[in-house]
Amino acid sequence: MNSDYKVVLSSQARKTLAKVDRNTRERLAGAIEGFRKYPPEGDIRALVGRPGQLRCRVGQWRIIFRQNRERCITEIGAILPRDEAYK
């Protein structure tokens, strides 16, 4: 198990974190900390029809991400409310 993964957020993910309320931001940040490990921690599932993409459920929010095991990088593509995450 490697705990040296670097977490990279997309500009969309950064904007979402900046806009949400403090409590939600803290919960999302706590979930993101779990992505520094392999396998990532949290309520995580593979996305059907999107090879290599995973989602982490944080209440009504979804964090869409990939983990590159060769480069030890977790790339967060989006942080979305549940109703927008699967469109």
Side-chain angles (χ1 to χ4, degrees):
M1 186 151 83
N2 187 350
S3 60
D4 296 327
Y5 275 66
K6 179 180 176 183
V7 176
V8 178
L9 280 79
S10 69
S11 60
Q12 185 279 341
R14 277 193 214 101
K15 287 178 187 176
T16 299
L17 280 176
K19 289 180 184 178
V20 296
D21 63 87
R22 182 175 154 187
N23 183 41
T24 301
R25 183 175 24 254
E26 289 174 359
R27 290 177 56 215
L28 290 168
I32 290 169
E33 278 301 308
F35 300 167
R36 294 189 184 279
K37 299 180 177 155
Y38 183 83
E41 297 175 347
D43 184 1
I44 296 171
R45 300 234 170 117
L47 290 176
V48 176
R50 298 184 193 176
Q53 286 192 334
L54 304 165
R55 70 94 174 125
C56 178
R57 182 177 67 87
V58 182
Q60 291 297 314
W61 290 87
R62 301 297 183 266
I63 303 172
I64 310 298
F65 69 100
R66 297 177 180 267
Q67 275 198 324
N68 184 323
R69 289 175 39 187
E70 289 99 32
R71 295 175 49 208
C72 293
I73 294 176
T74 299
E75 302 170 23
I76 299 176
I79 300 174
L80 301 165
R82 181 192 175 277
D83 60 341
E84 295 177 24
Y86 305 115
K87 291 183 180 179

